[in-house]
Amino acid sequence: MIIYHGQSCLCSYCVLVFLILLFPVLVSSSNCSCEAQEKDQNSAEALKFKLVAIASILVASSLGVCLPFLVKDISCLQPDKEPFFLIKSFAAGVILATGFIHILPDAFESLASPCLNDKPWREFPFAGFVAMISGIGTLMMESFATGCHERLELRKAQPVNGDEEMSDHNEAHSVDVGRFHGSALTLPRTNSSDLIRNHIISQVLELGIVVHSVIIGLSLGASQSAKTIKPLVAALSFHQFFEGIGLGGCISQAKMKRQSVVVMVVFFSLTTPAGISVGIGIAKTYDDNSPAALIIQGLLNSASAGILIYMALVDLLAADFMNPKLLTNFRLQVGAIFTLLLGTCCMSLLAKLN
């Protein structure tokens, strides 16, 4: 099941490796009647910027995803403190803008390309449809996984002897079990349930981010235009840094085992550089405007956008903005709204630089 430590990390890693290996094979053998967009091809100069991009993005990604772990021992940044809500709102704004501003428009552009046939790609908004389905799929997965855990806890909560004196914790569980078997269902969220939910959030969020990162890396690595690559180096470095902060915060809050944390951090940090490396290797055969490339990019970007938008709105923002601590503190509410808008603005400005 996805909620158990290294197994889900390994599963996500296998999915990504499969995408990296399959994607170039599909797109390198396709042809398109569209004219190539890049006129200033200089492979030698472009390669220099690609190597700079690998190093820069690797450092930015690693620093961003590790930053929440480096500052978690600071008392004012603990999960029960006010600054934690502000940082988390900023990270949620970054992730939300990534889905709406960076990924979803790219998906619509790919699936509406003149290189594709009018039927069926121009007759139906596939990008929006796939994004919607991926969001619903994420909701269903979270619901089933969390529900399975809750039912297991209810079974464990049955008292051994009704005449024995029970602790307060067991009494609370017995009441809940009685309500479950009666007409009302009351499931208070336990610390274990919160950890399970945070495990799911962090792992699904990483999957949504890295799918898009693979496409970014492949496109940059396959480009032969130095003028196209040069401005992307700084933009993508900041992009990965901010995304890393959001993802690192979720991983830190899930309190996973050290091995699982290392796998997820390394996985995120290496995804885009690995994509660029693969792109360099297929640069001579890769056609960014081929029908196969456009369809695969569009569908994967749509799915990634749906996951990120759902995670940002439901799992990050809705949960925090409905938190009693935030609802009873007007100053904290205003601060969270400000940092949320700040995060969305930062990522929106990066889209202008791309």
Side-chain angles (χ1 to χ4, degrees), residues 61-76:
S61 300
S62 303
L63 181 60
V65 74
C66 291
L67 190 60
F69 297 96
L70 299 176
V71 301
K72 69 177 182 178
D73 293 331
I74 301 177
S75 59
C76 66

Side-chain angles (χ1 to χ4, degrees), residues 22-36 115-116 282-297:
L22 178 64
F23 186 47
V25 173
L26 292 176
V27 302
S28 62
S29 59
S30 302
N31 296 316
C32 178
S33 58
C34 297
E35 295 181 0
C115 293
L116 299 180
I282 64 170
K284 293 183 179 180
T285 58
Y286 179 83
D287 183 5
D288 201 25
N289 288 320
S290 68
L294 291 169
I295 292 172
I296 295 174
Q297 287 179 7

